[in-house]
Amino acid sequence: MTENTGVRLGAAPGSRGRTTIADVVVEKIAGMAARDVRGVYALGSGFARSMGSMRERMPGAGGGKSATRGVSVEVGELQAAIDLELVVDYGVSITDVAAAVRENVISAVERMAGREVVEVNIMVSDVKLPDEEDEGEERQRIQ
């Protein structure tokens, strides 16, 4: 007696199963693609960056910058919508940076995750001024 599993012999391997992509995967792809654009200083609001900077200094808290800070997504079976919060460098055209971020994020998510990106919403929450200290250059008060 044989069991009919519904799989046809000779069917293409791509049709033999289902691939699910977690939201965090698309968040990381979008975050990395946005950071690659010239003129993007950081992702996330000032508060989120400050908390992340403190968290990075704590032993065992997971070193490195969070790839998903400033990124939120909604991912469906075929489509994705992405919201980004950016800090841009002073002196760059914000509209040009936003357009380049949109293009880079859409390209990366569609290529890597195979989801049609229906929208990329960008909120610029701050501008990095040349005379401001970088988070990485802040002096620790307690040693």
Side-chain angles (χ1 to χ4, degrees):
M1 182 161 207
T2 60
E3 183 177 319
N4 185 357
T5 61
V7 176
R8 296 177 311 191
L9 293 177
S15 66
R16 295 184 192 185
R18 189 172 143 201
T19 302
T20 304
I21 298 174
D23 290 5
V24 71
V25 173
V26 176
E27 285 177 351
K28 287 181 179 183
I29 293 169
M32 293 303 293
R35 283 181 181 85
D36 283 345
V37 174
R38 190 177 150 275
V40 173
Y41 175 72
L43 270 66
S45 66
F47 179 74
R49 290 191 333 270
S50 296
M51 293 305 291
S53 179
M54 288 178 16
R55 194 171 30 253
E56 289 166 11
R57 293 182 186 146
M58 296 175 67
K65 292 182 179 179
S66 171
T68 61
R69 186 181 310 142
V71 182
S72 65
V73 301
E74 290 181 38
V75 181
E77 290 284 323
L78 303 172
Q79 297 178 325
I82 302 165
D83 295 323
L84 300 168
E85 186 174 355
L86 304 179
V87 177
V88 298
D89 291 320
Y90 176 79
V92 300
S93 166
I94 294 173
T95 55
D96 290 349
V97 170
V101 166
R102 247 184 218 99
E103 185 177 329
N104 211 35
V105 167
I106 289 169
S107 174
V109 170
E110 288 183 348
R111 179 177 46 83
M112 294 176 70
R115 300 296 185 268
E116 176 192 10
V117 178
V118 294
E119 64 182 12
V120 176
N121 299 311
I122 297 173
M123 184 181 85
V124 177
S125 62
D126 203 356
V127 173
K128 166 64 170 77
L129 301 175
D131 58 345
E132 290 178 335
E133 282 188 23
D134 288 338
E135 288 176 7
E137 296 175 5
E138 290 177 359
R139 294 187 180 122
Q140 286 184 315
R141 295 172 57 185
I142 301 173
Q143 295 189 9

